[in-house]
Amino acid sequence: MRQMRLVVVGAGGRMGRALTRAVTEMAGAEVVAGVEREGSESLGQDVGELAGVGNIGVPISDDPLAAFAQSDGVLDFTTPKASLWFAELSAQARIVHVIGTTGWSEGEDEPLKAAARHARIIKSGNMSLGVNLLANLVRKAAAALDSDFDIEVLEMHHKHKVDAPSGTALLLGQAAADGRGIDLSSHSVRSRDGIMDPRKTGDIGFATLRGGSVIGEHSVIFAGEGERIELTHRSEDRQLFARGAVKSALWGFDQKPGFYSMADVLGLNA
Ligand SMILES: NC(=O)C1=CN([C@@H]2O[C@H](COP(=O)(O)OP(=O)(O)OC[C@H]3O[C@@H](n4cnc5c(N)ncnc54)[C@H](OP(=O)(O)O)[C@@H]3O)[C@@H](O)[C@H]2O)C=CC1
Ligand SMILES: O=C(O)C1=N[C@H](C(=O)O)C[C@H](O)C1
C-alpha cells in the first residue's frame, strides 16, 4: 500500500516539529510539505532539519493551497483562525484534516462541521490515549457520584501556552457534564477572584496553572464531604500527542467525510 502523504502546517512550532519526527518514526506515512505563515523565519528551511531528523528534501512554504493539492492529509496544531482556513482548504482538496489546535470559541465547530461534509476532520483537544481513556473514567465517575461531590478541573502547562482553560481541561469538563447529564456552558466557572458567592452545587470549576516546561498535567477532582477522589493524567513527552495525530490521520484515510474525535479513532465510543 502506498504511503499517506501528509502536510505539517505550523511546521516550525513545538508540535509541528514533534509531528515531523513522529511521521518519520512511524510506518505508513511521509511528510510531503511543511507550511508556515507568510513572513515566518522558518520559510525555506527543511522540515526534517528543523525537526532534528535530518534533511528530507522538503522546504517549508507559505502556500497551503499548493501543499494540500499534492497530499492526502494535513496535521494541524496551529491557531483556531488558521485551522478554520485550513479546514476550508482541506474540504476543497477532499483530504484528511487532523486538528489538535485548542483555544476555540463557542460556535467555531459549526464551520468545521460544514467543511467535514467534504473533508475527513478529526479534532481533539488531546490526542493521547491516556487522556481519552481518562475522559471515559471521568464520565463514569460523574454519573456514579451525586451533586454532593463538587467537580473541579485543574491543569498545568508550560509558560508559552496562550489559551486557558486548556483544550484537555474543557474535554474533561465536558465528560464530567455528560456523566452528570448537564449542560457544561451553563455550569462552568472559569475564574474566581475576590469576594464572591459560595460555590453553587452542580458547578464545574476550572483552575489554570502556567510555568516552566510542563508538557501537560490534568486532574479532575470530585470533592465530597470528608472524602475526595482525584483522577490525574501527566504527559511526559510531546511525542505522545504527535503519534496520536499521525495515528488519527492514518485512521481517517479509510473513512468517509465526517467530523470525528480521537475517541472515534481509539474506538472508545463503542
Ligand atoms: N490536541 C493536542 O493533543 C495538543 C494540542 N496542542 C495545541 O496545538 C497548538 C500549537 O501548540 P504549539 O505547537 O505548542 O504552539 P507553537 O506556537 O509552538 O506552534 C504553532 C505554529 O503554528 C504556526 N502558525 C500560526 N498561524 C499559522 C498560519 N496561518 N499558517 C501557518 N502556520 C501558522 C505558528 O507560527 P508563528 O510562530 O509565526 O505564529 C507556529 O509555528 C496549541 O493550540 C496547543 O494548545 C498542543 C499539544 C497537544
Ligand atoms: O499547548 C499545549 O502544550 C497542550 N495543549 C493541549 C491542551 O490545550 O490541552 C494538549 C496538551 O495538554 C498540551
Side-chain angles (χ1 to χ4, degrees):
M1 214 171 76
R2 80 170 168 83
Q3 299 271 87
M4 185 175 187
R5 299 164 302 168
L6 293 175
V7 180
V8 178
V9 290
R14 275 176 293 277
M15 276 308 298
R17 284 174 278 139
L19 290 162
T20 299
R21 284 196 291 278
V23 176
T24 57
E25 285 160 12
M26 290 169 70
E30 61 181 327
V31 176
V32 295
V35 172
E36 271 291 342
R37 69 161 103 233
E38 224 180 294
S40 164
E41 282 177 6
S42 316
L43 294 180
Q45 290 188 52
D46 185 80
V47 175
E49 296 262 5
L50 208 55
V53 293
N55 194 302
I56 59 168
V58 177
I60 295 187
S61 87
D62 58 4
D63 186 354
L65 195 62
F68 290 19
Q70 50 150 331
S71 83
D72 304 304
V74 181
L75 303 176
D76 173 7
F77 288 61
T78 56
T79 65
K81 187 172 171 218
S83 294
L84 285 167
W85 181 40
F86 295 142
E88 274 179 42
L89 298 183
S90 297
Q92 282 169 30
R94 306 254 188 305
I95 56 177
V96 175
H97 184 193
V98 176
I99 306 177
T101 305
T102 60
W104 297 92
S105 303
E106 216 169 314
E108 284 186 320
D109 268 359
E110 294 316 310
L112 296 178
K113 285 178 183 160
R117 287 202 289 268
H118 302 296
R120 286 147 278 163
I121 296 186
I122 301 138
K123 174 173 176 272
S124 177
N126 196 300
M127 298 275 171
S128 80
L129 169 63
V131 158
N132 285 281
L133 188 61
L134 177 66
N136 263 16
L137 299 176
V138 166
R139 190 174 301 109
K140 286 193 178 125
L145 299 167
D146 63 28
S147 58
D148 287 347
F149 280 81
D150 297 321
I151 303 177
E152 294 282 310
V153 184
L154 173 66
E155 56 111 335
M156 180 160 189
H157 283 87
H158 54 91
K159 62 185 173 193
H160 305 288
K161 187 165 177 64
V162 292
D163 57 304
S166 69
T168 309
L170 293 171
L171 180 157
L172 294 171
Q174 186 61 57
D178 291 347
R180 277 227 166 130
I182 58 171
D183 170 53
L184 179 62
S185 59
S186 53
H187 287 86
S188 72
V189 176
R190 289 185 176 209
S191 67
R192 296 184 179 110
D193 187 23
I195 308 287
M196 65 198 78
D197 289 338
R199 191 185 200 288
K200 274 206 226 94
T201 300
D203 277 351
I204 297 180
F206 291 87
T208 301
L209 306 178
R210 293 283 175 268
S213 57
V214 177
I215 303 281
E217 299 196 358
H218 295 87
S219 289
V220 181
I221 302 164
F222 296 86
E225 287 304 319
E227 61 179 337
R228 196 162 76 233
I229 301 159
E230 300 187 1
L231 299 175
T232 297
H233 180 271
R234 293 192 180 89
S235 306
E236 294 172 353
D237 186 349
R238 206 165 262 120
Q239 287 306 122
L240 196 68
F241 314 126
R243 283 195 296 270
V246 178
K247 189 173 171 162
S248 304
L250 292 167
W251 177 88
F253 204 16
D254 299 326
Q255 306 302 315
K256 294 198 182 89
F259 191 62
Y260 302 101
S261 72
M262 197 62 195
D264 295 315
V265 176
L266 297 171
L268 295 172
N269 280 337

